[in-house]
Amino acid sequence: QFSDIQNTKSYASLLWLFGQYLSEINKNSEAIRYLEEGVDAFEAMKIFDKEYYQCLSKLGSVYLDYFEEDKLGTGKDYKQKTSTIF
């Protein structure tokens, strides 16, 4: 359905911006999904510019937020993922 746009920088940027929006309204688990997809999209196109690093940095930040919010410890995996980003 969106195959024409999926291989574009605009699509990767859209995922990043939507993930950023979701994190701002405290929907971190959803934000993580979109930010991860954004990072994957940038990397698949071998685009490592400012927007890629902003998306990656936001993903790391949301991983930390999610881990800190998680009282039951189910976000443990995200703390480990964060350490590979920062």
Side-chain angles (χ1 to χ4, degrees):
Q1 186 178 46
F2 298 106
S3 61
D4 291 341
I5 192 175
Q6 283 182 323
N7 295 321
T8 65
K9 183 179 176 185
S10 295
Y11 179 71
S13 296
L14 179 65
L15 292 168
W16 158 51
L17 293 172
F18 190 61
Q20 186 170 342
Y21 165 74
L22 289 170
S23 73
E24 289 173 6
I25 61 170
N26 295 319
K27 293 191 175 192
N28 288 332
S29 61
E30 293 92 343
I32 287 169
R33 187 179 113 218
Y34 283 94
L35 292 167
E36 285 177 337
E37 287 184 36
V39 167
D40 290 345
F42 280 114
E43 290 175 349
M45 293 179 285
K46 296 183 177 22
I47 296 174
F48 304 104
D49 61 359
K50 182 179 179 179
E51 289 179 9
Y52 165 76
Y53 288 105
Q54 287 175 323
C55 183
L56 187 62
S57 176
K58 186 64 178 178
L59 177 59
S61 174
V62 176
Y63 278 156
L64 284 173
D65 291 344
Y66 186 79
F67 179 77
E68 290 172 1
E69 289 174 2
D70 183 32
K71 305 296 182 206
L72 300 174
T74 57
K76 189 175 183 180
D77 186 48
Y78 290 119
K79 186 175 182 185
Q80 187 176 11
K81 288 182 178 184
T82 302
S83 67
T84 64
I85 292 174
F86 291 118

